[in-house]
Amino acid sequence: MQKEVKRVLVISPHPDDETLGAGGAILKYLAEGAEVYVLEVAGHLPPLYTREDFDITVSEAKSAFEILGVTQFEFLEIPALMIDNQPRHEFNGKIANIVNDFAPHIVLCPFPDRHIDHRVVFESTLVATRPVGVGRNIEIVAAYEVLSETHWNAAHIEPNFTPNWLVDISDHIDKKLDALRCYKSQVSDFPGPRSIEAVEALAIFRGSQAGFAYGEGFHIVRKVS
Amino acid sequence: MQKEVKRVLVISPHPDDETLGAGGAILKYLAEGAEVYVLEVAGHLPPLYTREDFDITVSEAKSAFEILGVTQFEFLEIPALMIDNQPRHEFNGKIANIVNDFAPHIVLCPFPDRHIDHRVVFESTLVATRPVGVGRNIEIVAAYEVLSETHWNAAHIEPNFTPNWLVDISDHIDKKLDALRCYKSQVSDFPGPRSIEAVEALAIFRGSQAGFAYGEGFHIVRKVS
Amino acid sequence: MQKEVKRVLVISPHPDDETLGAGGAILKYLAEGAEVYVLEVAGHLPPLYTREDFDITVSEAKSAFEILGVTQFEFLEIPALMIDNQPRHEFNGKIANIVNDFAPHIVLCPFPDRHIDHRVVFESTLVATRPVGVGRNIEIVAAYEVLSETHWNAAHIEPNFTPNWLVDISDHIDKKLDALRCYKSQVSDFPGPRSIEAVEALAIFRGSQAGFAYGEGFHIVRKVS
Amino acid sequence: MQKEVKRVLVISPHPDDETLGAGGAILKYLAEGAEVYVLEVAGHLPPLYTREDFDITVSEAKSAFEILGVTQFEFLEIPALMIDNQPRHEFNGKIANIVNDFAPHIVLCPFPDRHIDHRVVFESTLVATRPVGVGRNIEIVAAYEVLSETHWNAAHIEPNFTPNWLVDISDHIDKKLDALRCYKSQVSDFPGPRSIEAVEALAIFRGSQAGFAYGEGFHIVRKVS
Amino acid sequence: MQKEVKRVLVISPHPDDETLGAGGAILKYLAEGAEVYVLEVAGHLPPLYTREDFDITVSEAKSAFEILGVTQFEFLEIPALMIDNQPRHEFNGKIANIVNDFAPHIVLCPFPDRHIDHRVVFESTLVATRPVGVGRNIEIVAAYEVLSETHWNAAHIEPNFTPNWLVDISDHIDKKLDALRCYKSQVSDFPGPRSIEAVEALAIFRGSQAGFAYGEGFHIVRKVS
Amino acid sequence: MQKEVKRVLVISPHPDDETLGAGGAILKYLAEGAEVYVLEVAGHLPPLYTREDFDITVSEAKSAFEILGVTQFEFLEIPALMIDNQPRHEFNGKIANIVNDFAPHIVLCPFPDRHIDHRVVFESTLVATRPVGVGRNIEIVAAYEVLSETHWNAAHIEPNFTPNWLVDISDHIDKKLDALRCYKSQVSDFPGPRSIEAVEALAIFRGSQAGFAYGEGFHIVRKVS
């Protein structure tokens, strides 16, 4: 009996979130033979940014994807900070279409945090992954953290990130950091929340919570087995 | 390459909790080829109960285990309602010994609820399963619910059970209920929180949360992969 | 001295929510001589649905109301999934008008859950029932659960439903299920979250939490006496 | 048909807690014809206090009870700060006996707060009022606040008091304060958390939350109807 | 070495919120030599109110500011209840501009509560005060309470206010109440949540939590030192 | 006018917790001219350890204190894991005595976490620092995190650490790590939760949350000003 190949859908609000939050898990799933699909929801687009801004991040994302080994991806091209400006049911439909088409077993999405786009993407992911239709085959829906938007949620008022799933990415940390380095327009020098050093430090901290060297933390919304 | 057989440790405060909370999961794990070990921590023992009370529940448990297919188990024989009377580090040591000896991949324990024994067992399980030593090989620590002690926690003051892991036990519900029927001294007629009807209803409700017929709900404390 | 007849306002996002969440309580209040008013806020209307879709649910609702004994009701006819598209203060005004006109003692509304309409209706109910003006005569504001939208909230991120008020509907469960059966377009076969079996199972589970056979659970937002 | 007289059980960790937390509700229930029973669990007794200390508070309590109109009460005479030193199942048994004997409809107990006696009394009340046996006739279990132990819980770590039940005690505030004045050994001058001024201020604040002049706030643990 | 003068930014959804929530702290900071800037975000403006309504509150605010000693302020003149109607990134930009220009050390904003404007202002303040750019010099971001919108949040569903910062305003309570009296169009007679008596009572209650006579409570979102 | 020297009390369950959780803050407070007193509550003592075990940690602690600059300290010499075995009011008395004698402005204590000693010390600190008597002069009570006991609390059941106070220790990280290196018997190699690397990583992560290089995070229980 042949085991079905796992399909992993990573929903990323903007290029770089997928690597920051789940780059190690992506590498690990691919190494285990899974199929990974990255959906980039929004981006630095007019009217708040120029098309050139966006093109740079797309190009950086493609370099990062190459390092991660991601070959399946899509850019929805919704202007950043403006996802919430369109009717919610329309945006929900876009996310639902991808879930229906890809029929994932694992869905990784952003934690609802300081960045309004992350909240909207989280909520629409939750709607699209309800356990009905293809949603009944989803085994895990989990939210990843993004330095430092996730940790800028208001302490003890808004949801605060505490991972209940820790993935050992010790064998993948180097490639995760390499992929992140592709995002030259997004990565900052240390100290800075999106510096390579800060991302590596977070990986060590998450690892320390579970007894290994480098980790990624997730909040499991629903596991089904 | 041969896959390692999964070892599942079910820590049960009293005989019947393992069936009420995780009977379906036990059946499912065994059906998948896993090894299951049930630890019965306390029981109806003197001074609050008679030895005969205890012997009845042990005999009922063994009948239930036969239906579930559980062949590995142990009774620690601590008097019910009195776990908390012994020094905590001593009790912690007892739980830790079993975790160290069995070296489980999956640990299922009671949710900390109305019953003080459940709280103490929960806490000691958490200590014994820290990700150090053999604890580094544990893949899941999760808490099950027990009708109705778990749902008698004070609403919005004490922790309230919301499952983030739902196990499809549709193929195992009949045996779960049969195993439960062995606990003649514990099961009550409907209506009553430990009636067969109430347990079946809870299974349907948990199933409805995840898109299948009968389910068991767990609160994942830590998943590592 | 004559006791005032209690007025119960049930605010339902869509036809069937009132029966799923509070059908038993409605039957019980009416049996005790209370006046019950059901407000149906939204419905399957264009542009996302056809007018025929809506008319079917209205007709089903009227059949259900007959079984429940509800004679006072209103359909606001706002398109489902689009409540949030109108300015909030306008929608708030609509709910406030009904609260002001009916001057209820008890207000039952949906729990803020996976369905965006439920969230908006919850929030507007909370605004409309503030303890000012007629709001000072409200004795209870409580939120009901709706299978399974309420239980599809993200575990431990969004609010999770834990009832602090349990209503014994043992004498009313048959009629509740009969009323629900009127919603042919909404009810699904078992297994399915809105199957008769799942709704009955939830009633048994809620009953088990309080020592009776069949119950309905509510989250009390504010009780005044 | 004659309506049954309501029986209200107020469980007070130490003399004065019943007045601080529920004095207004006691007066109101008695005014409505209910029977009220006050259980004083602990007190200023040897070895940490002298018997004289205790006798003073008993005498003050009896004066307060006279003003409140309380004629049924009992002093369990457990040394304050030492409830937790006896085996929990023994203490649980004492509380359970009173619940079984009095068979209350309403049970008011302290919120689990900074004072360890309040926590133990809260937990034992929850055990004794489970919806089994006479517990099935209990309509409300609720926790009251005690200035300022309740508000010295660690913010956002321990449970923080937010009332979901507000009782209008505008007609009873004067007597509540008079009863409190009987506790000369416990009441302090303003400013001081147990000053008459602070207690009156809290009553105004609670009233402001529900649209009336003076109120008492409770956290409903379970309401059944 | 000269110590830098502290700059305190008080973001107020509507005229009177700054006095209700932080009037005492404003007086205290000014007495200590700090610079205080009050931003009034919204107001009673057309289309829901008349321009005259707004002018009255502006005039009342200016009288209050005089008593408080506030000389730096600005009215953004966004219509009340309609902040959420404009694109969020535009509104965020307005708040961010003020933060950038004033470069505050302390930022006080409303708690996200029953009033939708308070929620939006809270969220935008959190975005504008992220620890990047001038935000890195902010020492405290904290939320104040507003009688009684803050205490009309749904108990145990929405965030409930529990202060972790208590400011002793015993020396300033008289002026705070005088400033509040300037808001003749907003203040109500006792009983009423915005009566002078209720505001004074809340101050006494907050004081009782920290051992002084009159206090103001805040929820610290972030303190940096 | 001369400003009073700040007195900082660091309550440490076992030698090394003070450095792990608050080493940077200790260095910073001392650099600012404050007085720091470290109370070591428990230690590796018989019967669970040998006296030699304890003496080693005392000697390591003294070396660490030298690096930190701590000259005031005390070892209560309570056997580790057994604090909870003595009557709580006796242990509370010991902590209260030190608070009364030292009369601190700032109190730093462990977060209530996986280690039972940390919980008991937390609770007793909270009792001893109530805002009565000398407690009225305390400006901050805050809890620090200890790798990794604090992060082994059960996710979403027990309190999870989210700092609301971040201290910039960039100028002190080197000395903090040097002090930690003194605890040869406690520090492990990387990977290991108490490795130098893990502690440095946590400092970077905390720094990233507030815009600086290295930080320490605290949960403010009460700030008074």
Side-chain angles (χ1 to χ4, degrees), chain A residues 136 164 166 168 211 223 225, chain B residues 136 164 166 168 211 223 225:
Chain A
R136 295 178 59 195
N164 50 15
L166 294 154
D168 185 349
K223 175 176 155 65
S225 63
Chain B
R136 295 178 59 196
N164 51 15
L166 294 154
D168 185 348
K223 175 177 155 65
S225 62

Side-chain angles (χ1 to χ4, degrees), chain D residues 6 104-106 135-141 222-225:
Chain D
K6 293 291 181 197
H105 301 94
I106 315 282
R136 295 177 60 195
N137 297 320
I138 298 173
E139 295 166 8
I140 291 188
V141 178
R222 188 175 81 243
K223 174 176 155 66
V224 172
S225 61

Side-chain angles (χ1 to χ4, degrees), chain A residues 3-66:
Chain A
K3 234 174 119 188
E4 194 184 14
V5 168
K6 293 290 181 197
R7 288 184 297 276
V8 180
L9 175 61
V10 181
I11 303 185
S12 171
H14 317 93
D16 82 349
D17 290 325
E18 81 296 329
T19 300
L20 283 161
I26 290 171
L27 284 155
K28 188 163 192 168
Y29 274 118
L30 286 170
E32 292 170 359
E35 239 186 284
V36 173
Y37 188 108
V38 175
L39 176 69
E40 298 290 351
V41 174
H44 289 170
L45 281 160
L48 301 180
Y49 301 86
T50 65
R51 180 79 205 183
E52 288 67 42
D53 291 333
F54 180 65
D55 289 343
I56 288 169
T57 62
V58 168
S59 155
E60 292 172 346
K62 288 181 179 170
S63 302
F65 290 169
E66 206 162 334

Side-chain angles (χ1 to χ4, degrees), chain B residues 26-27 30 34 36 63-72 175 179:
Chain B
I26 290 172
L27 284 156
L30 287 170
V36 173
S63 301
F65 291 170
E66 206 162 331
I67 289 172
L68 296 175
V70 170
T71 57
Q72 300 185 65
K175 280 203 173 172

Side-chain angles (χ1 to χ4, degrees), chain D residues 9 38 72 89 108 182 207 221 224:
Chain D
L9 175 61
V38 175
Q72 300 184 66
H89 66 271
L108 305 179
C182 298
V221 168
V224 172

Side-chain angles (χ1 to χ4, degrees), chain C residues 136 164 166 168 211 223 225, chain D residues 136 164 166 168 211 223 225:
Chain C
R136 296 178 59 195
N164 51 14
L166 294 154
D168 185 349
K223 175 176 155 67
S225 61
Chain D
R136 295 177 60 195
N164 51 15
L166 294 154
D168 185 348
K223 174 176 155 66
S225 61

